[in-house]
Amino acid sequence: MEEPEANAEPPPGLRSLLPPREFLCSRKGQLLLAEAVLSFIIFICYIASSASAFMMAPLLEFLLALFLFFAYASKLNEKFKGLYWPLTMQILTCILILTDNYLC
């Protein structure tokens, strides 16, 4: 039976969706992960509260935080240099929340 190599990379699959370890150890990665986790906690609190009619804004904020986390992890910000990512995401967040508040 053959021994697996010590430097062999794991087969592609679900691990390819995980961000690299270097990104998770960086300050930006930790802040983006914390934003996603906190927005998920806020979403859960809205679901459990009596104000569940307003849960669309925290849900969209959570999804946007997840998108931003994986966009930076996969280095989309380096591929699309025409966008100023932090400003674009904040404007998109404001538009989503204003739309949600207008409809509710």
Side-chain angles (χ1 to χ4, degrees):
M1 203 164 217
E2 292 182 28
E3 295 278 332
E5 294 180 26
N7 295 338
E9 292 185 20
L14 290 179
R15 285 194 78 133
S16 64
L17 295 176
L18 295 176
R21 180 169 298 247
E22 297 83 29
F23 180 72
L24 288 175
C25 293
S26 70
R27 184 176 297 257
K28 178 175 276 208
Q30 290 173 350
L31 287 173
L32 288 171
L33 184 61
E35 180 184 8
V37 169
L38 286 175
S39 61
F40 180 71
I41 291 170
I42 291 169
F43 173 65
I44 295 299
C45 289
Y46 264 85
I47 289 176
S49 72
S50 62
S52 62
F54 299 107
M55 72 177 191
M56 186 59 76
L59 173 65
L60 293 175
E61 180 68 29
F62 169 64
L63 293 175
L64 203 58
L66 269 182
F67 168 74
L68 193 60
F69 177 72
F70 283 109
Y72 273 105
S74 62
K75 298 183 180 178
L76 282 178
N77 59 331
E78 294 175 3
K79 294 177 185 173
F80 298 107
K81 296 223 184 248
L83 289 174
Y84 184 64
W85 282 83
L87 183 62
T88 304
M89 290 302 131
Q90 289 301 322
I91 289 174
L92 190 57
T93 302
C94 290
I95 290 172
L96 290 174
I97 290 173
L98 285 175
T99 304
D100 184 50
N101 289 336
Y102 179 73
L103 294 177
C104 289

